[in-house]
Amino acid sequence: MREIVLIGQDTTCYGEDLGIKDGLALLLERLAQIPDVRWVRFLYAYPNRITTKLLETIAAHEKICKYMDVPLQHASPDVLKRMKRGAGADIFLKSIEKMRRFVPDITLRTSFIAGFPGESEKDFNILCDFVREAEFDWLGVFGYSDEEGAKAFSLDTDTKVAPRVIEQRRKKLMEIQQKISKKNKKQFIGRELDVLVTGESDETDLLWEGRTSMHAPEIDGKVFINDFGPQGELHEGRFYRCEITESHDYDLVARIIA
């Protein structure tokens, strides 16, 4: 078994129904002891539930991916309140600082909704400033759309943001993130990383694709392999030691070295 991925609406709640404190940290510790597992990863954690014990556990075990997916949705306290969520940019930044302090090489992913009903220009600017300061490794932005049955669907139509404005805001956030990602990816050139090869590239048969522990399956960028080095051929599902030779906005290019 190459990788175990734990997925839940809020994985940090694991064990609460059984009265177990820091249940996720305990589970990760046990999974990290399985000999044949190379990576252990969990997705979707709420910042107010990311405990010191959990961060210490991630930092202490090589098999636990230094990766945190925290779906924040927004950074403006007013918008988050309308979403029935708490906190805001200042609290989120403190949480991010703590995560990076305890796990220096941690990869952070989040997602936001642009154009939630009632989102003002001021609210959106708060979100933009937060994205610039937080410098997430991976970020997804979704434009708000009405969904019948959701609480936001019944909000007063006067608070709804025009679809054209929603798309403009979504694009602006992604442009901000693109610059951040391009800058951060350049720092990996020359580094050696373990890459899990996932198969031939869909783009061209001259390249193979893979991902590192910084890449969750199917949602993050890719590592393109254009030089097999000492390997005559590659095998899907195997790990190879690679050197990063190029970087792009979201993807990396690598050569096999072992």
Side-chain angles (χ1 to χ4, degrees):
M1 187 181 298
R2 299 290 186 253
E3 180 178 21
I4 293 177
V5 182
L6 307 176
I7 301 178
Q9 185 173 349
D10 181 2
T11 51
T12 47
C13 286
Y14 178 80
E16 286 187 1
D17 56 330
L18 303 174
I20 301 174
K21 184 180 180 182
D22 285 311
L24 179 59
L26 296 174
L27 177 61
L28 292 172
E29 285 181 338
R30 295 292 296 272
L31 293 175
Q33 295 171 19
I34 300 175
D36 293 335
V37 171
R38 184 72 172 267
W39 289 340
V40 180
R41 182 191 311 277
F42 67 96
L43 299 177
Y44 314 128
Y46 283 79
N48 62 331
R49 295 180 179 271
I50 299 171
T51 64
T52 298
K53 171 66 174 176
L54 177 59
L55 294 174
E56 290 175 341
T57 301
I58 295 170
H61 295 273
E62 184 178 352
K63 290 185 178 181
I64 301 176
C65 295
K66 281 46 178 179
Y67 183 105
M68 191 82 73
D69 189 325
V70 188
L72 299 178
Q73 306 300 347
H74 214 280
S76 166
D78 290 341
V79 175
L80 288 164
K81 186 176 180 179
R82 285 193 292 276
M83 290 179 171
K84 307 302 181 184
R85 292 169 172 261
D90 291 344
I91 294 175
F92 290 159
L93 287 171
K94 289 179 181 178
S95 180
I96 290 168
E97 187 278 328
K98 180 179 179 180
M99 285 186 267
R100 286 174 169 156
R101 177 160 39 91
F102 276 87
V103 191
D105 293 329
I106 197 166
T107 297
L108 296 180
R109 159 174 271 282
T110 193
S111 56
F112 295 115
I113 296 174
F116 190 81
E119 181 190 69
S120 66
E121 192 69 28
K122 178 182 178 182
D123 293 323
F124 180 67
N125 288 334
I126 289 173
L127 178 54
C128 290
D129 290 341
F130 172 68
V131 169
R132 293 186 184 97
E133 189 165 358
E135 293 197 348
F136 291 97
D137 299 281
W138 306 112
L139 187 151
V141 183
F142 305 91
Y144 171 83
S145 60
D146 274 329
E147 183 175 339
E148 193 168 355
K151 290 183 178 180
F153 181 80
S154 59
L155 290 174
D156 187 76
T157 54
D158 291 341
T159 69
K160 301 291 177 69
V161 181
R164 175 181 56 82
V165 176
I166 291 175
E167 181 60 14
Q168 287 174 346
R169 291 178 179 179
R170 187 194 68 80
K171 286 184 176 179
K172 181 174 180 179
L173 278 172
M174 288 311 303
E175 288 171 359
I176 293 171
Q177 178 60 24
Q178 184 179 25
K179 294 176 182 178
I180 293 170
S181 180
K182 184 175 183 178
K183 181 190 71 172
N184 289 344
K185 296 297 177 288
K186 284 183 179 179
Q187 299 174 15
F188 288 96
I189 296 176
R191 285 183 57 180
E192 295 182 9
L193 301 170
D194 290 330
V195 174
L196 173 60
V197 169
T198 54
E200 293 185 12
S201 174
D202 295 332
E203 299 185 14
T204 170
D205 56 8
L206 299 177
L207 298 173
W208 276 55
E209 295 178 3
R211 57 188 177 87
T212 71
S213 62
M214 301 178 295
H215 299 77
E218 300 181 2
I219 60 174
D220 296 326
K222 298 178 180 180
V223 178
F224 292 103
I225 301 168
N226 63 357
D227 184 344
F228 291 6
Q231 304 296 323
E233 58 181 3
L234 301 185
H235 298 276
E236 183 178 343
R238 290 189 184 179
F239 286 88
Y240 296 87
R241 192 68 173 174
C242 294
E243 179 187 0
I244 305 303
T245 57
E246 299 176 36
S247 69
H248 299 281
D249 291 349
Y250 300 107
D251 301 320
L252 300 170
V253 179
R255 68 181 184 92
I256 305 291
I257 59 175

